PDB file of all heavy atoms in Angstrom:
ATOM      1  N   MET A   1      15.131  -7.351 -10.290  1.00 47.00           N
ATOM      2  CA  MET A   1      13.973  -8.120  -9.795  1.00 47.00           C
ATOM      3  C   MET A   1      12.691  -7.291  -9.739  1.00 47.00           C
ATOM      4  O   MET A   1      11.636  -7.784 -10.069  1.00 47.00           O
ATOM      5  CB  MET A   1      14.321  -8.681  -8.423  1.00 47.00           C
ATOM      6  CG  MET A   1      13.255  -9.613  -7.931  1.00 47.00           C
ATOM      7  SD  MET A   1      13.739 -10.580  -6.513  1.00 47.00           S
ATOM      8  CE  MET A   1      15.249  -9.812  -5.934  1.00 47.00           C
ATOM      9  N   PRO A   2      12.744  -6.003  -9.377  1.00 48.00           N
ATOM     10  CA  PRO A   2      11.481  -5.232  -9.291  1.00 48.00           C
ATOM     11  C   PRO A   2      10.951  -4.807 -10.645  1.00 48.00           C
ATOM     12  O   PRO A   2       9.807  -4.397 -10.723  1.00 48.00           O
ATOM     13  CB  PRO A   2      11.868  -3.998  -8.484  1.00 48.00           C
ATOM     14  CG  PRO A   2      13.283  -4.218  -8.051  1.00 48.00           C
ATOM     15  CD  PRO A   2      13.879  -5.264  -8.919  1.00 48.00           C
ATOM     16  N   VAL A  13      -2.679   0.574 -15.643  1.00 44.00           N
ATOM     17  CA  VAL A  13      -3.040   1.991 -15.538  1.00 44.00           C
ATOM     18  C   VAL A  13      -3.630   2.462 -16.851  1.00 44.00           C
ATOM     19  O   VAL A  13      -4.608   3.194 -16.896  1.00 44.00           O
ATOM     20  CB  VAL A  13      -1.798   2.827 -15.154  1.00 44.00           C
ATOM     21  CG1 VAL A  13      -2.100   4.312 -15.295  1.00 44.00           C
ATOM     22  CG2 VAL A  13      -1.359   2.488 -13.739  1.00 44.00           C
ATOM     23  N   LEU A  17      -7.272   4.188 -17.416  1.00 41.00           N
ATOM     24  CA  LEU A  17      -7.439   5.494 -18.053  1.00 41.00           C
ATOM     25  C   LEU A  17      -8.380   5.379 -19.251  1.00 41.00           C
ATOM     26  O   LEU A  17      -9.253   6.214 -19.447  1.00 41.00           O
ATOM     27  CB  LEU A  17      -6.085   6.041 -18.501  1.00 41.00           C
ATOM     28  CG  LEU A  17      -5.175   6.488 -17.360  1.00 41.00           C
ATOM     29  CD1 LEU A  17      -3.821   6.924 -17.902  1.00 41.00           C
ATOM     30  CD2 LEU A  17      -5.815   7.622 -16.561  1.00 41.00           C
ATOM     31  N   SER A  23     -15.999   5.986 -20.155  1.00 43.00           N
ATOM     32  CA  SER A  23     -17.159   6.247 -19.303  1.00 43.00           C
ATOM     33  C   SER A  23     -17.456   7.743 -19.259  1.00 43.00           C
ATOM     34  O   SER A  23     -18.576   8.152 -19.011  1.00 43.00           O
ATOM     35  CB  SER A  23     -16.926   5.697 -17.895  1.00 43.00           C
ATOM     36  OG  SER A  23     -15.901   6.441 -17.264  1.00 43.00           O
ATOM     37  N   GLY A  24     -16.453   8.585 -19.541  1.00 42.00           N
ATOM     38  CA  GLY A  24     -16.663  10.024 -19.544  1.00 42.00           C
ATOM     39  C   GLY A  24     -17.573  10.470 -20.677  1.00 42.00           C
ATOM     40  O   GLY A  24     -18.120  11.559 -20.645  1.00 42.00           O
ATOM     41  N   ASP A  28     -24.955  10.368 -18.060  1.00 47.00           N
ATOM     42  CA  ASP A  28     -25.841  10.024 -16.952  1.00 47.00           C
ATOM     43  C   ASP A  28     -25.066   9.520 -15.737  1.00 47.00           C
ATOM     44  O   ASP A  28     -25.451   8.578 -15.101  1.00 47.00           O
ATOM     45  CB  ASP A  28     -26.872   8.966 -17.389  1.00 47.00           C
ATOM     46  CG  ASP A  28     -26.170   7.690 -17.860  1.00 47.00           C
ATOM     47  OD1 ASP A  28     -24.955   7.762 -18.131  1.00 47.00           O
ATOM     48  OD2 ASP A  28     -26.846   6.650 -17.949  1.00 47.00           O
ATOM     49  N   HIS A  47      -5.649   3.103  -2.080  1.00 57.00           N
ATOM     50  CA  HIS A  47      -6.303   1.838  -2.418  1.00 57.00           C
ATOM     51  C   HIS A  47      -7.783   1.999  -2.082  1.00 57.00           C
ATOM     52  O   HIS A  47      -8.123   2.477  -1.005  1.00 57.00           O
ATOM     53  CB  HIS A  47      -5.664   0.735  -1.585  1.00 57.00           C
ATOM     54  CG  HIS A  47      -6.137  -0.624  -1.955  1.00 57.00           C
ATOM     55  ND1 HIS A  47      -7.370  -1.094  -1.605  1.00 57.00           N
ATOM     56  CD2 HIS A  47      -5.541  -1.618  -2.656  1.00 57.00           C
ATOM     57  CE1 HIS A  47      -7.498  -2.327  -2.073  1.00 57.00           C
ATOM     58  NE2 HIS A  47      -6.403  -2.666  -2.703  1.00 57.00           N
ATOM     59  N   ASP A  58      12.317   6.197   0.425  1.00 92.00           N
ATOM     60  CA  ASP A  58      13.598   5.498   0.418  1.00 92.00           C
ATOM     61  C   ASP A  58      14.295   5.442   1.770  1.00 92.00           C
ATOM     62  O   ASP A  58      15.345   4.846   1.886  1.00 92.00           O
ATOM     63  CB  ASP A  58      14.521   6.094  -0.644  1.00 92.00           C
ATOM     64  CG  ASP A  58      14.149   5.567  -2.025  1.00 92.00           C
ATOM     65  OD1 ASP A  58      13.560   4.475  -2.102  1.00 92.00           O
ATOM     66  OD2 ASP A  58      14.446   6.242  -3.010  1.00 92.00           O
ATOM     67  N   SER A  62       5.859   5.874   6.017  1.00 97.00           N
ATOM     68  CA  SER A  62       5.224   7.099   6.494  1.00 97.00           C
ATOM     69  C   SER A  62       3.702   7.023   6.309  1.00 97.00           C
ATOM     70  O   SER A  62       3.243   6.930   5.174  1.00 97.00           O
ATOM     71  CB  SER A  62       5.779   8.298   5.722  1.00 97.00           C
ATOM     72  OG  SER A  62       5.143   9.481   6.142  1.00 97.00           O
ATOM     73  N   ASP A  72      -9.773  -4.012   9.005  1.00 97.00           N
ATOM     74  CA  ASP A  72      -9.313  -2.954   8.100  1.00 97.00           C
ATOM     75  C   ASP A  72      -8.142  -3.438   7.243  1.00 97.00           C
ATOM     76  O   ASP A  72      -7.373  -4.314   7.644  1.00 97.00           O
ATOM     77  CB  ASP A  72      -8.854  -1.723   8.891  1.00 97.00           C
ATOM     78  CG  ASP A  72     -10.011  -0.896   9.406  1.00 97.00           C
ATOM     79  OD1 ASP A  72     -11.160  -1.149   8.978  1.00 97.00           O
ATOM     80  OD2 ASP A  72      -9.778  -0.001  10.233  1.00 97.00           O
ATOM     81  N   THR A  73      -8.023  -2.805   6.081  1.00 97.00           N
ATOM     82  CA  THR A  73      -6.937  -3.113   5.158  1.00 97.00           C
ATOM     83  C   THR A  73      -5.943  -1.964   5.136  1.00 97.00           C
ATOM     84  O   THR A  73      -6.334  -0.801   5.065  1.00 97.00           O
ATOM     85  CB  THR A  73      -7.498  -3.335   3.739  1.00 97.00           C
ATOM     86  OG1 THR A  73      -8.360  -4.468   3.772  1.00 97.00           O
ATOM     87  CG2 THR A  73      -6.381  -3.585   2.737  1.00 97.00           C
ATOM     88  N   TRP A  76       0.220  -0.349   1.234  1.00 98.00           N
ATOM     89  CA  TRP A  76       1.529   0.296   1.167  1.00 98.00           C
ATOM     90  C   TRP A  76       1.745   0.767  -0.260  1.00 98.00           C
ATOM     91  O   TRP A  76       1.596  -0.016  -1.208  1.00 98.00           O
ATOM     92  CB  TRP A  76       2.636  -0.678   1.567  1.00 98.00           C
ATOM     93  CG  TRP A  76       2.734  -0.910   3.045  1.00 98.00           C
ATOM     94  CD1 TRP A  76       3.565  -0.260   3.923  1.00 98.00           C
ATOM     95  CD2 TRP A  76       2.005  -1.860   3.832  1.00 98.00           C
ATOM     96  NE1 TRP A  76       3.385  -0.754   5.193  1.00 98.00           N
ATOM     97  CE2 TRP A  76       2.437  -1.732   5.170  1.00 98.00           C
ATOM     98  CE3 TRP A  76       1.013  -2.809   3.527  1.00 98.00           C
ATOM     99  CZ2 TRP A  76       1.916  -2.514   6.202  1.00 98.00           C
ATOM    100  CZ3 TRP A  76       0.501  -3.587   4.549  1.00 98.00           C
ATOM    101  CH2 TRP A  76       0.950  -3.433   5.874  1.00 98.00           C
ATOM    102  N   HIS A  84      11.906  -1.953  -2.001  1.00 98.00           N
ATOM    103  CA  HIS A  84      11.531  -2.107  -0.596  1.00 98.00           C
ATOM    104  C   HIS A  84      10.460  -3.178  -0.493  1.00 98.00           C
ATOM    105  O   HIS A  84       9.801  -3.515  -1.470  1.00 98.00           O
ATOM    106  CB  HIS A  84      10.981  -0.796  -0.027  1.00 98.00           C
ATOM    107  CG  HIS A  84      11.948   0.341  -0.080  1.00 98.00           C
ATOM    108  ND1 HIS A  84      13.090   0.386   0.674  1.00 98.00           N
ATOM    109  CD2 HIS A  84      11.939   1.475  -0.820  1.00 98.00           C
ATOM    110  CE1 HIS A  84      13.745   1.508   0.412  1.00 98.00           C
ATOM    111  NE2 HIS A  84      13.067   2.187  -0.497  1.00 98.00           N
ATOM    112  N   GLY A  88       6.705  -8.886   8.181  1.00 98.00           N
ATOM    113  CA  GLY A  88       6.354  -8.902   9.593  1.00 98.00           C
ATOM    114  C   GLY A  88       7.482  -9.427  10.459  1.00 98.00           C
ATOM    115  O   GLY A  88       8.309 -10.232  10.018  1.00 98.00           O
ATOM    116  N   PRO A  99       6.027  -8.858  -1.785  1.00 97.00           N
ATOM    117  CA  PRO A  99       7.156  -8.873  -2.728  1.00 97.00           C
ATOM    118  C   PRO A  99       7.947  -7.574  -2.583  1.00 97.00           C
ATOM    119  O   PRO A  99       7.517  -6.657  -1.863  1.00 97.00           O
ATOM    120  CB  PRO A  99       6.481  -8.934  -4.101  1.00 97.00           C
ATOM    121  CG  PRO A  99       5.036  -9.178  -3.852  1.00 97.00           C
ATOM    122  CD  PRO A  99       4.744  -8.719  -2.459  1.00 97.00           C
ATOM    123  N   LEU A 100       9.060  -7.476  -3.281  1.00 97.00           N
ATOM    124  CA  LEU A 100       9.834  -6.232  -3.287  1.00 97.00           C
ATOM    125  C   LEU A 100       9.348  -5.354  -4.438  1.00 97.00           C
ATOM    126  O   LEU A 100       9.090  -5.837  -5.535  1.00 97.00           O
ATOM    127  CB  LEU A 100      11.321  -6.528  -3.453  1.00 97.00           C
ATOM    128  CG  LEU A 100      11.942  -7.351  -2.323  1.00 97.00           C
ATOM    129  CD1 LEU A 100      13.396  -7.657  -2.643  1.00 97.00           C
ATOM    130  CD2 LEU A 100      11.809  -6.648  -0.989  1.00 97.00           C
ATOM    131  N   GLY A 104       4.888   0.499  -6.794  1.00 97.00           N
ATOM    132  CA  GLY A 104       3.760  -0.426  -6.797  1.00 97.00           C
ATOM    133  C   GLY A 104       2.951  -0.291  -5.524  1.00 97.00           C
ATOM    134  O   GLY A 104       3.209   0.590  -4.693  1.00 97.00           O
ATOM    135  N   ALA A 112      -7.167  -9.895  13.166  1.00 95.00           N
ATOM    136  CA  ALA A 112      -7.015 -10.151  14.604  1.00 95.00           C
ATOM    137  C   ALA A 112      -6.407  -8.943  15.311  1.00 95.00           C
ATOM    138  O   ALA A 112      -5.390  -8.409  14.859  1.00 95.00           O
ATOM    139  CB  ALA A 112      -6.129 -11.368  14.822  1.00 95.00           C
ATOM    140  N   ARG A 117       4.501  -5.626  14.264  1.00 98.00           N
ATOM    141  CA  ARG A 117       5.683  -4.861  13.871  1.00 98.00           C
ATOM    142  C   ARG A 117       6.190  -5.410  12.546  1.00 98.00           C
ATOM    143  O   ARG A 117       6.080  -6.600  12.273  1.00 98.00           O
ATOM    144  CB  ARG A 117       6.769  -4.968  14.950  1.00 98.00           C
ATOM    145  CG  ARG A 117       6.365  -4.295  16.262  1.00 98.00           C
ATOM    146  CD  ARG A 117       7.510  -4.331  17.269  1.00 98.00           C
ATOM    147  NE  ARG A 117       7.954  -5.690  17.528  1.00 98.00           N
ATOM    148  CZ  ARG A 117       9.235  -6.087  17.523  1.00 98.00           C
ATOM    149  NH1 ARG A 117      10.192  -5.215  17.295  1.00 98.00           N
ATOM    150  NH2 ARG A 117       9.552  -7.340  17.760  1.00 98.00           N
ATOM    151  N   GLY A 128       7.997  -0.243  11.014  1.00 98.00           N
ATOM    152  CA  GLY A 128       6.688   0.334  11.304  1.00 98.00           C
ATOM    153  C   GLY A 128       5.922  -0.569  12.239  1.00 98.00           C
ATOM    154  O   GLY A 128       6.278  -1.731  12.443  1.00 98.00           O
ATOM    155  N   THR A 129       4.873  -0.012  12.817  1.00 98.00           N
ATOM    156  CA  THR A 129       4.022  -0.757  13.728  1.00 98.00           C
ATOM    157  C   THR A 129       2.559  -0.508  13.375  1.00 98.00           C
ATOM    158  O   THR A 129       2.171   0.637  13.130  1.00 98.00           O
ATOM    159  CB  THR A 129       4.265  -0.343  15.185  1.00 98.00           C
ATOM    160  OG1 THR A 129       5.638  -0.527  15.499  1.00 98.00           O
ATOM    161  CG2 THR A 129       3.433  -1.177  16.138  1.00 98.00           C
ATOM    162  N   GLU A 133      -7.053  -2.558  16.682  1.00 97.00           N
ATOM    163  CA  GLU A 133      -7.988  -2.549  17.812  1.00 97.00           C
ATOM    164  C   GLU A 133      -9.232  -3.363  17.463  1.00 97.00           C
ATOM    165  O   GLU A 133      -9.552  -3.533  16.298  1.00 97.00           O
ATOM    166  CB  GLU A 133      -8.359  -1.100  18.150  1.00 97.00           C
ATOM    167  CG  GLU A 133      -7.155  -0.278  18.577  1.00 97.00           C
ATOM    168  CD  GLU A 133      -7.521   1.157  18.907  1.00 97.00           C
ATOM    169  OE1 GLU A 133      -8.514   1.662  18.334  1.00 97.00           O
ATOM    170  OE2 GLU A 133      -6.830   1.758  19.743  1.00 97.00           O
TER     171      GLU A 133
END
Side-chain angles (χ1 to χ4, degrees):
M1 187 167 13
V13 170
L17 289 176
S23 68
D28 60 344
H47 187 285
D58 281 336
S62 178
D72 283 349
T73 297
W76 283 265
H84 300 292
L100 298 176
R117 294 184 303 132
T129 303
E133 298 180 332

